[in-house]
Amino acid sequence: MTRLGGTCGIPRYDRRVYVKVACVVDSAGVVQATEIDWDGTRRFPVLSRGAQQEWGRWENGSVVRGWRVEVAAGVWRTLWWERGRFFVERRDANGE
């Protein structure tokens, strides 16, 4: 299995914060996040969705998906999925 963390703009494994995500799946199998639960106390509704990308190969067990989501007016983040788990990139104290 090839690990993609730290490549192609995908966060390294030590830069990930795993989160709970409420989502809906339509009849075509398209997943759409509706809410991100950061830590059980902070929840962010997904106001809008942008581009989705996919990296890796299913045959190698190394698929990573990324969605651009709006979590507050004008605030966009990338929500990632790998091997059945959702995560966001950890932000430093200085906001980077």
Side-chain angles (χ1 to χ4, degrees), residues 1-10 13 16 52-66 80-83:
M1 172 182 70
T2 304
R3 295 178 55 134
L4 296 174
T7 65
C8 305
I10 301 166
Y13 296 94
R16 296 179 180 193
Q52 174 186 338
Q53 290 186 287
E54 184 173 290
W55 297 266
R57 296 181 58 123
W58 288 101
E59 296 85 4
N60 296 340
S62 62
V63 171
V64 177
R65 289 183 175 165
W80 301 91
W81 175 92
E82 181 180 44
R83 299 179 61 90

Side-chain angles (χ1 to χ4, degrees), residues 39-92:
D39 59 7
T41 61
R42 294 183 291 170
R43 293 191 171 121
F44 302 93
V46 174
L47 305 175
S48 181
R49 293 164 212 63
Q52 174 186 338
Q53 290 186 287
E54 184 173 290
W55 297 266
R57 296 181 58 123
W58 288 101
E59 296 85 4
N60 296 340
S62 62
V63 171
V64 177
R65 289 183 175 165
W67 294 265
R68 290 294 288 166
V69 295
E70 186 179 22
V71 294
V75 178
W76 289 82
R77 299 287 182 260
T78 302
L79 176 64
W80 301 91
W81 175 92
E82 181 180 44
R83 299 179 61 90
R85 297 174 72 187
F86 284 96
F87 60 94
V88 294
E89 185 168 13
R90 180 179 314 282
R91 303 192 84 182
D92 295 330

Side-chain angles (χ1 to χ4, degrees), residues 18 30 78:
Y18 290 93
V30 176
T78 302

Side-chain angles (χ1 to χ4, degrees), residues 23-48:
C23 54
V24 295
V25 181
D26 69 17
S27 60
V30 176
V31 176
Q32 294 188 19
T34 58
E35 182 180 71
I36 299 171
D37 182 340
W38 184 264
D39 59 7
T41 61
R42 294 183 291 170
R43 293 191 171 121
F44 302 93
V46 174
L47 305 175
S48 181

